[in-house]
Amino acid sequence: MMLIESEGKTKLTLRGGPFNATEEERATFESMRPHVQQGFVGTFDQLDAFLEQNLNR
């Protein structure tokens, strides 16, 4: 995980992968990567909306 401040905002970078995985397990992980990314984007979009709504009062 990496947090970088830029122009008053914070950028979060997450990286991950399988450990001690077989070739088949790595291939499965890679095939699911777009879905995992989509899930994280949706989750952080919801968090952003929640924080904006609750911190700007």
Side-chain angles (χ1 to χ4, degrees), residues 1 3-5 7 9 12-13 15 18 21 29 33 35-36 39 41 44 46 50 53-57:
M1 179 173 75
L3 296 169
I4 299 172
E5 189 275 327
E7 299 178 16
K9 294 187 177 186
L12 168 66
T13 302
R15 296 176 190 237
F29 178 85
R33 184 181 298 272
H35 304 288
V36 172
V41 167
F44 285 115
Q46 290 179 24
F50 173 83
Q53 207 174 40
N54 290 281
L55 293 181
N56 291 332
R57 289 184 174 184

mmCIF file of all heavy atoms in Angstrom, residues 1 3-5 7 9 12-13 15 18 21 29 33 35-36 39 41 44 46 50 53-57:
data_model
loop_
_atom_site.group_PDB
_atom_site.id
_atom_site.type_symbol
_atom_site.label_atom_id
_atom_site.label_comp_id
_atom_site.label_asym_id
_atom_site.label_seq_id
_atom_site.Cartn_x
_atom_site.Cartn_y
_atom_site.Cartn_z
ATOM 1 N N MET A 1 0.851 -1.167 0.000
ATOM 2 C CA MET A 1 0.000 0.000 0.000
ATOM 3 C C MET A 1 0.898 1.231 0.000
ATOM 4 O O MET A 1 1.912 1.277 0.680
ATOM 5 C CB MET A 1 -0.902 0.001 1.237
ATOM 6 C CG MET A 1 -1.789 1.219 1.304
ATOM 7 S SD MET A 1 -2.999 1.203 2.614
ATOM 8 C CE MET A 1 -1.985 1.546 4.021
ATOM 9 N N LEU A 3 0.588 5.612 -0.009
ATOM 10 C CA LEU A 3 -0.186 6.845 0.061
ATOM 11 C C LEU A 3 0.704 7.997 -0.388
ATOM 12 O O LEU A 3 1.804 8.165 0.123
ATOM 13 C CB LEU A 3 -0.675 7.099 1.486
ATOM 14 C CG LEU A 3 -1.648 6.072 2.056
ATOM 15 C CD1 LEU A 3 -1.830 6.288 3.551
ATOM 16 C CD2 LEU A 3 -2.976 6.150 1.346
ATOM 17 N N ILE A 4 0.213 8.777 -1.371
ATOM 18 C CA ILE A 4 0.983 9.899 -1.890
ATOM 19 C C ILE A 4 0.101 11.136 -1.901
ATOM 20 O O ILE A 4 -1.021 11.097 -2.404
ATOM 21 C CB ILE A 4 1.485 9.611 -3.316
ATOM 22 C CG1 ILE A 4 2.400 8.387 -3.308
ATOM 23 C CG2 ILE A 4 2.206 10.823 -3.894
ATOM 24 C CD1 ILE A 4 2.785 7.914 -4.695
ATOM 25 N N GLU A 5 0.599 12.243 -1.334
ATOM 26 C CA GLU A 5 -0.128 13.511 -1.328
ATOM 27 C C GLU A 5 0.214 14.261 -2.600
ATOM 28 O O GLU A 5 1.365 14.360 -3.002
ATOM 29 C CB GLU A 5 0.259 14.331 -0.097
ATOM 30 C CG GLU A 5 -0.604 15.563 0.124
ATOM 31 C CD GLU A 5 -0.142 16.777 -0.675
ATOM 32 O OE1 GLU A 5 1.068 16.922 -0.882
ATOM 33 O OE2 GLU A 5 -0.998 17.569 -1.077
ATOM 34 N N GLU A 7 -1.340 17.852 -4.599
ATOM 35 C CA GLU A 7 -2.275 18.962 -4.762
ATOM 36 C C GLU A 7 -3.422 18.921 -3.747
ATOM 37 O O GLU A 7 -4.583 19.114 -4.081
ATOM 38 C CB GLU A 7 -2.814 18.985 -6.188
ATOM 39 C CG GLU A 7 -1.734 19.188 -7.231
ATOM 40 C CD GLU A 7 -2.253 19.162 -8.648
ATOM 41 O OE1 GLU A 7 -3.475 19.294 -8.849
ATOM 42 O OE2 GLU A 7 -1.421 19.020 -9.564
ATOM 43 N N LYS A 9 -4.653 16.395 -2.199
ATOM 44 C CA LYS A 9 -5.412 15.149 -2.193
ATOM 45 C C LYS A 9 -4.458 13.995 -1.929
ATOM 46 O O LYS A 9 -3.249 14.123 -2.117
ATOM 47 C CB LYS A 9 -6.124 14.936 -3.530
ATOM 48 C CG LYS A 9 -7.192 15.969 -3.797
ATOM 49 C CD LYS A 9 -7.963 15.623 -5.039
ATOM 50 C CE LYS A 9 -9.087 16.644 -5.235
ATOM 51 N NZ LYS A 9 -9.944 16.247 -6.349
ATOM 52 N N LEU A 12 -4.122 6.681 -3.127
ATOM 53 C CA LEU A 12 -3.877 5.379 -2.514
ATOM 54 C C LEU A 12 -3.592 4.380 -3.616
ATOM 55 O O LEU A 12 -4.371 4.247 -4.566
ATOM 56 C CB LEU A 12 -5.112 4.934 -1.712
ATOM 57 C CG LEU A 12 -5.135 3.491 -1.234
ATOM 58 C CD1 LEU A 12 -4.047 3.250 -0.202
ATOM 59 C CD2 LEU A 12 -6.504 3.154 -0.663
ATOM 60 N N THR A 13 -2.467 3.685 -3.516
ATOM 61 C CA THR A 13 -2.125 2.630 -4.471
ATOM 62 C C THR A 13 -2.033 1.317 -3.699
ATOM 63 O O THR A 13 -1.278 1.217 -2.728
ATOM 64 C CB THR A 13 -0.782 2.912 -5.166
ATOM 65 O OG1 THR A 13 -0.874 4.173 -5.829
ATOM 66 C CG2 THR A 13 -0.433 1.842 -6.165
ATOM 67 N N ARG A 15 -1.370 -2.839 -4.081
ATOM 68 C CA ARG A 15 -0.813 -3.886 -4.934
ATOM 69 C C ARG A 15 -0.892 -5.200 -4.188
ATOM 70 O O ARG A 15 -0.694 -5.248 -2.983
ATOM 71 C CB ARG A 15 0.638 -3.592 -5.297
ATOM 72 C CG ARG A 15 0.801 -2.354 -6.125
ATOM 73 C CD ARG A 15 2.267 -2.071 -6.374
ATOM 74 N NE ARG A 15 2.373 -0.754 -6.971
ATOM 75 C CZ ARG A 15 2.941 -0.520 -8.129
ATOM 76 N NH1 ARG A 15 3.480 -1.499 -8.805
ATOM 77 N NH2 ARG A 15 2.989 0.690 -8.614
ATOM 78 N N PRO A 18 -0.856 -13.367 -5.453
ATOM 79 C CA PRO A 18 -0.843 -14.643 -4.736
ATOM 80 C C PRO A 18 0.578 -15.020 -4.293
ATOM 81 O O PRO A 18 1.553 -14.753 -4.995
ATOM 82 C CB PRO A 18 -1.377 -15.629 -5.770
ATOM 83 C CG PRO A 18 -1.059 -15.018 -7.092
ATOM 84 C CD PRO A 18 -1.093 -13.538 -6.889
ATOM 85 N N ALA A 21 1.759 -19.705 -4.997
ATOM 86 C CA ALA A 21 0.658 -20.187 -5.817
ATOM 87 C C ALA A 21 1.175 -21.028 -6.983
ATOM 88 O O ALA A 21 2.278 -20.822 -7.480
ATOM 89 C CB ALA A 21 -0.139 -19.006 -6.357
ATOM 90 N N PHE A 29 -5.999 -15.903 -10.496
ATOM 91 C CA PHE A 29 -5.872 -14.584 -9.882
ATOM 92 C C PHE A 29 -5.855 -13.499 -10.953
ATOM 93 O O PHE A 29 -6.568 -12.503 -10.847
ATOM 94 C CB PHE A 29 -4.592 -14.518 -9.032
ATOM 95 C CG PHE A 29 -4.358 -13.184 -8.398
ATOM 96 C CD1 PHE A 29 -4.946 -12.870 -7.187
ATOM 97 C CD2 PHE A 29 -3.555 -12.237 -9.019
ATOM 98 C CE1 PHE A 29 -4.742 -11.623 -6.602
ATOM 99 C CE2 PHE A 29 -3.344 -11.002 -8.449
ATOM 100 C CZ PHE A 29 -3.938 -10.695 -7.234
ATOM 101 N N ARG A 33 -8.503 -10.196 -11.813
ATOM 102 C CA ARG A 33 -7.995 -8.862 -11.491
ATOM 103 C C ARG A 33 -8.960 -7.724 -11.881
ATOM 104 O O ARG A 33 -9.217 -6.834 -11.073
ATOM 105 C CB ARG A 33 -6.623 -8.637 -12.117
ATOM 106 C CG ARG A 33 -6.007 -7.298 -11.720
ATOM 107 C CD ARG A 33 -4.649 -7.072 -12.362
ATOM 108 N NE ARG A 33 -3.670 -8.060 -11.970
ATOM 109 C CZ ARG A 33 -2.884 -7.950 -10.895
ATOM 110 N NH1 ARG A 33 -2.980 -6.906 -10.118
ATOM 111 N NH2 ARG A 33 -2.002 -8.889 -10.620
ATOM 112 N N HIS A 35 -12.150 -7.674 -12.044
ATOM 113 C CA HIS A 35 -13.300 -7.684 -11.138
ATOM 114 C C HIS A 35 -12.909 -7.146 -9.757
ATOM 115 O O HIS A 35 -13.680 -6.418 -9.132
ATOM 116 C CB HIS A 35 -13.873 -9.098 -11.017
ATOM 117 C CG HIS A 35 -14.239 -9.695 -12.339
ATOM 118 N ND1 HIS A 35 -15.335 -9.275 -13.072
ATOM 119 C CD2 HIS A 35 -13.635 -10.654 -13.079
ATOM 120 C CE1 HIS A 35 -15.398 -9.960 -14.199
ATOM 121 N NE2 HIS A 35 -14.376 -10.811 -14.228
ATOM 122 N N VAL A 36 -11.728 -7.513 -9.314
ATOM 123 C CA VAL A 36 -11.232 -7.011 -8.021
ATOM 124 C C VAL A 36 -11.050 -5.499 -8.100
ATOM 125 O O VAL A 36 -11.456 -4.757 -7.199
ATOM 126 C CB VAL A 36 -9.913 -7.717 -7.635
ATOM 127 C CG1 VAL A 36 -9.290 -7.072 -6.399
ATOM 128 C CG2 VAL A 36 -10.155 -9.201 -7.403
ATOM 129 N N GLY A 39 -14.352 -3.781 -7.972
ATOM 130 C CA GLY A 39 -14.880 -3.789 -6.612
ATOM 131 C C GLY A 39 -14.242 -2.725 -5.738
ATOM 132 O O GLY A 39 -14.931 -2.021 -4.992
ATOM 133 N N VAL A 41 -12.780 0.061 -6.769
ATOM 134 C CA VAL A 41 -13.201 1.382 -7.251
ATOM 135 C C VAL A 41 -14.589 1.713 -6.704
ATOM 136 O O VAL A 41 -14.821 2.818 -6.197
ATOM 137 C CB VAL A 41 -13.183 1.446 -8.797
ATOM 138 C CG1 VAL A 41 -13.902 2.688 -9.307
ATOM 139 C CG2 VAL A 41 -11.753 1.421 -9.302
ATOM 140 N N PHE A 44 -14.372 2.489 -2.901
ATOM 141 C CA PHE A 44 -13.772 3.785 -2.593
ATOM 142 C C PHE A 44 -14.630 4.941 -3.094
ATOM 143 O O PHE A 44 -14.630 6.010 -2.493
ATOM 144 C CB PHE A 44 -12.336 3.865 -3.105
ATOM 145 C CG PHE A 44 -11.388 3.079 -2.242
ATOM 146 C CD1 PHE A 44 -10.728 1.974 -2.744
ATOM 147 C CD2 PHE A 44 -11.166 3.429 -0.926
ATOM 148 C CE1 PHE A 44 -9.864 1.238 -1.939
ATOM 149 C CE2 PHE A 44 -10.317 2.705 -0.110
ATOM 150 C CZ PHE A 44 -9.651 1.600 -0.626
ATOM 151 N N GLN A 46 -17.883 4.894 -2.959
ATOM 152 C CA GLN A 46 -18.881 5.008 -1.892
ATOM 153 C C GLN A 46 -18.289 5.678 -0.659
ATOM 154 O O GLN A 46 -18.945 6.505 -0.015
ATOM 155 C CB GLN A 46 -19.422 3.624 -1.519
ATOM 156 C CG GLN A 46 -20.300 3.023 -2.596
ATOM 157 C CD GLN A 46 -20.791 1.641 -2.213
ATOM 158 O OE1 GLN A 46 -20.872 1.290 -1.042
ATOM 159 N NE2 GLN A 46 -21.120 0.846 -3.216
ATOM 160 N N PHE A 50 -19.541 9.150 1.040
ATOM 161 C CA PHE A 50 -19.894 9.196 2.465
ATOM 162 C C PHE A 50 -19.099 10.280 3.182
ATOM 163 O O PHE A 50 -19.662 11.073 3.951
ATOM 164 C CB PHE A 50 -19.613 7.836 3.115
ATOM 165 C CG PHE A 50 -19.792 7.844 4.603
ATOM 166 C CD1 PHE A 50 -21.053 7.690 5.157
ATOM 167 C CD2 PHE A 50 -18.711 8.020 5.440
ATOM 168 C CE1 PHE A 50 -21.227 7.715 6.540
ATOM 169 C CE2 PHE A 50 -18.873 8.037 6.819
ATOM 170 C CZ PHE A 50 -20.146 7.885 7.362
ATOM 171 N N GLN A 53 -20.215 13.779 2.254
ATOM 172 C CA GLN A 53 -21.516 14.088 2.856
ATOM 173 C C GLN A 53 -21.409 14.365 4.359
ATOM 174 O O GLN A 53 -22.094 15.217 4.890
ATOM 175 C CB GLN A 53 -22.450 12.907 2.623
ATOM 176 C CG GLN A 53 -23.905 13.232 2.581
ATOM 177 C CD GLN A 53 -24.697 11.986 2.188
ATOM 178 O OE1 GLN A 53 -24.393 10.882 2.634
ATOM 179 N NE2 GLN A 53 -25.697 12.174 1.356
ATOM 180 N N ASN A 54 -20.517 13.635 5.035
ATOM 181 C CA ASN A 54 -20.463 13.718 6.490
ATOM 182 C C ASN A 54 -19.382 14.623 7.042
ATOM 183 O O ASN A 54 -19.409 14.952 8.220
ATOM 184 C CB ASN A 54 -20.320 12.303 7.067
ATOM 185 C CG ASN A 54 -21.594 11.517 6.889
ATOM 186 O OD1 ASN A 54 -22.539 11.679 7.641
ATOM 187 N ND2 ASN A 54 -21.640 10.696 5.857
ATOM 188 N N LEU A 55 -18.410 15.000 6.237
ATOM 189 C CA LEU A 55 -17.352 15.883 6.736
ATOM 190 C C LEU A 55 -17.552 17.338 6.343
ATOM 191 O O LEU A 55 -16.892 18.202 6.869
ATOM 192 C CB LEU A 55 -15.990 15.397 6.218
ATOM 193 C CG LEU A 55 -15.513 14.044 6.751
ATOM 194 C CD1 LEU A 55 -14.155 13.710 6.160
ATOM 195 C CD2 LEU A 55 -15.449 14.038 8.265
ATOM 196 N N ASN A 56 -18.451 17.590 5.425
ATOM 197 C CA ASN A 56 -18.682 18.969 4.969
ATOM 198 C C ASN A 56 -19.866 19.616 5.643
ATOM 199 O O ASN A 56 -20.475 20.511 5.095
ATOM 200 C CB ASN A 56 -18.853 18.986 3.441
ATOM 201 C CG ASN A 56 -17.572 18.659 2.727
ATOM 202 O OD1 ASN A 56 -16.491 18.915 3.256
ATOM 203 N ND2 ASN A 56 -17.676 18.096 1.541
ATOM 204 N N ARG A 57 -20.195 19.171 6.815
ATOM 205 C CA ARG A 57 -21.350 19.742 7.522
ATOM 206 C C ARG A 57 -20.939 20.901 8.366
ATOM 207 O O ARG A 57 -19.954 21.089 8.874
ATOM 208 C CB ARG A 57 -22.005 18.677 8.404
ATOM 209 C CG ARG A 57 -22.694 17.662 7.552
ATOM 210 C CD ARG A 57 -23.422 16.678 8.392
ATOM 211 N NE ARG A 57 -24.170 15.837 7.467
ATOM 212 C CZ ARG A 57 -24.978 14.919 7.847
ATOM 213 N NH1 ARG A 57 -25.172 14.678 9.113
ATOM 214 N NH2 ARG A 57 -25.613 14.183 6.974
#
